[in-house]
Amino acid sequence: MFTAEQLAAMPGDVEKLNSKIERAVADGQLMESAAKNIRALLAGTSSDFYSRVVDELVVTAKWSELNDRFYQTLVFGTGGLRGRTIGKVVTTAERGNSRENERPQFPCVGTNAMNFFNISRATQGLVAYLQDFVGSTESRPTGERPRIVIAHDPRFFSNEFADLAAKIGAENGCDAFVFDGPRSVPELSFAVRHLKANAGIVITASHNPPYDNGYKVYFSDGAQVIDPHASGIITRVNAITSETFTPLPKDRQGNTTMIGEEIDEAYMHRLETLILDPQMIREAKSLRIIYTPLHGTGSVIIKPMLKRLGFDFNVVQEQDRFDGRFPTVKSPNPEMARR
C-alpha cells in the first residue's frame, strides 16, 4: 500500500490506478509482489510516464505482462543485468512517436526489465562501490576519481543506456570514458587496462534475442568482475530501490570523455604483437576467408585487422551493418546453425 503521505501527494488518476491495482490483487489477477513493485516505482518518480504505461496495461487487462514486468526487481548478479528492453506487449506510451514496425521510442517499463530505472540502479551501485574501493587503496593518489570505460553494442537502446551510465557516473564523481559508437567486449577489456580505469561497463545482451539487452561489469584487470568485488558491487546495487539520486556538487563531479579511433589503433597494434608465427601469416595468402559480423560490433576491428595482416577476405554484405533487429538471421548467435 502507498503511505498516507504518498497518497495525499498523488494526482487523482494515480489514486484511481492504485484502486485498480488493489482490486486486481484481490481478484488473483496480479501478484502481490508485482503490485508492491508497481507502487514503489510510481512513488519514486515525478513523471507520469510510468503511471500511463501501467494504467494502459491495467485497463486492457494485460495481467500476465504486468506480472512479468513487476514480479521482481531485476537482480544484479555476478555478470551484471540482463532482461527484456521491449515488452511482449508494447503500450501506446512506450511506442511514442515510433511506427508499428520500428523500435519503440521508450524501453519497457518494469522493475524486472532492462530500462533507465535499472541502468540507473546498476550504475549508482557500481560507482558507490568504486568510490569506497578507490578511497581505501593506498596506492591511489589522495582525491583521485575512479575511472570507468563504457562500451555498447548496436542493440535497441544500447546507446541511450551507455549515455545514461556515463552521466550517472560523472554526476557521482567518476571520470567516464565512452566509446563513440558500438565496440566489442574484448576492446572494452583492452580499453580498461589501456586507460588504467577501475572498471568497465558494456551494454550488451550478447547472443540473446533482439528484444533483450544487458549490463555487464568488468574490473580494472579487464576481466568480468569476480569476488570479492562482485559480491561487493551486487550488495550495493541490490540495495538501491530508486533511479533518482542527488548529483554531487559540480566541483566534485567527474568528466565525460569520448573515445574512439585512438583506442581502436592502440588495440590493433596490441593485437599484432600477439601473433605467434608471423611467417605463417605471411605464407597464408591462399586462405579463402568469408566473414560476417552478424550485424554486431565485430566488424569495427576484424575487417581492418584482416587488411593489416594482408588477408584476402569477403564480407557478407547483408550482415555488415549495425542493426538491433538482426533482420537477416533467425538468432544473433553464431553457435546456432542456419538454413
Side-chain angles (χ1 to χ4, degrees):
M1 296 289 292
F2 288 109
T3 66
E5 292 78 10
Q6 288 171 336
L7 284 170
M10 286 180 181
D13 54 349
V14 178
E15 285 192 65
K16 292 178 182 177
L17 176 57
N18 184 50
S19 297
K20 296 174 186 175
I21 290 171
E22 291 179 354
R23 192 179 317 119
V25 172
D27 292 342
Q29 298 165 314
L30 189 65
M31 298 169 63
E32 179 57 50
S33 62
K36 179 181 177 181
N37 286 328
I38 290 171
R39 295 182 190 116
L41 185 71
L42 297 184
T45 181
S46 58
S47 168
D48 70 343
F49 176 71
Y50 292 164
S51 62
R52 287 190 289 118
V53 170
V54 172
D55 188 58
E56 182 176 337
L57 293 172
V58 168
V59 169
T60 55
K62 303 298 184 183
W63 306 117
S64 176
E65 180 73 5
L66 280 165
N67 284 322
D68 282 347
R69 293 188 184 202
F70 286 99
Y71 82 94
Q72 68 171 4
T73 296
L74 199 61
V75 176
F76 192 97
T78 302
L81 297 168
R82 189 172 295 189
R84 291 191 75 111
T85 195
I86 297 177
K88 296 176 184 176
V89 177
V90 178
T91 67
T92 301
E94 290 164 338
R95 176 69 60 194
N97 58 21
S98 298
R99 291 176 294 189
E100 188 68 27
N101 62 340
E102 295 177 337
R103 187 208 79 172
Q105 186 177 358
F106 304 102
C108 69
V109 171
T111 56
N112 187 44
M114 277 301 302
N115 48 35
F116 300 126
F117 167 77
N118 277 315
I119 291 292
S120 179
R121 289 180 55 246
T123 308
Q124 288 181 65
L126 172 62
V127 169
Y129 179 82
L130 292 177
Q131 292 283 16
D132 289 345
F133 177 73
V134 171
S136 66
T137 305
E138 294 181 0
S139 61
R140 288 280 180 175
T142 302
E144 181 174 334
R145 290 191 293 259
R147 289 180 154 206
I148 53 175
V149 183
I150 303 172
H152 67 86
D153 67 9
R155 284 178 174 273
F156 297 140
F157 301 105
S158 285
N159 183 54
E160 292 95 324
F161 290 163
D163 287 346
L164 178 61
K167 178 176 182 292
I168 292 171
E171 289 181 346
N172 282 278
C174 282
D175 287 333
F177 297 82
V178 190
F179 276 102
D180 58 8
R183 294 299 194 282
S184 67
V185 170
E187 186 169 1
L188 179 279
S189 294
F190 169 83
V192 168
R193 297 189 297 271
H194 184 74
L195 295 170
K196 297 180 172 58
N198 303 97
I201 299 168
V202 186
I203 308 297
T204 181
S206 300
H207 304 140
N208 279 37
Y211 49 73
D212 282 353
N213 214 327
Y215 182 109
K216 295 182 180 180
V217 175
Y218 295 75
F219 216 62
S220 57
D221 59 356
Q224 197 159 323
V225 65
I226 59 173
D227 278 335
H229 304 302
S231 295
I233 295 169
I234 289 168
T235 299
R236 298 303 291 262
V237 173
N238 290 338
I240 294 172
T241 58
S242 173
E243 65 185 311
T244 60
F245 62 91
T246 301
L248 292 173
K250 285 290 186 180
D251 61 346
R252 294 176 55 197
Q253 293 184 17
N255 300 310
T256 299
T257 304
M258 298 301 294
I259 56 176
E261 291 183 0
E262 69 281 8
I263 301 297
D264 297 340
E265 182 60 33
Y267 181 43
M268 288 189 285
H269 178 72
R270 176 64 178 133
L271 290 177
E272 286 183 296
T273 70
L274 302 179
I275 297 173
L276 298 178
D277 191 340
Q279 181 63 29
M280 180 180 291
I281 296 295
R282 286 192 292 269
E283 295 174 353
K285 305 310 178 186
S286 62
L287 282 176
R288 300 177 64 189
I289 299 173
I290 297 177
Y291 168 66
T292 173
L294 295 179
H295 303 290
T297 59
S299 62
V300 176
I301 295 299
I302 296 296
K303 290 194 299 182
M305 273 304 299
L306 288 173
K307 289 179 181 178
R308 286 168 81 128
L309 297 174
F311 285 113
D312 184 17
F313 65 98
N314 292 302
V315 179
V316 179
Q317 294 300 320
E318 295 85 353
Q319 297 172 345
D320 189 26
R321 63 180 186 276
F322 298 138
D323 194 330
R325 299 172 302 153
F326 306 104
T328 65
V329 296
K330 294 180 180 179
S331 168
N333 188 343
E335 298 170 349
M336 296 180 65
R338 287 167 180 78
R339 296 176 177 82

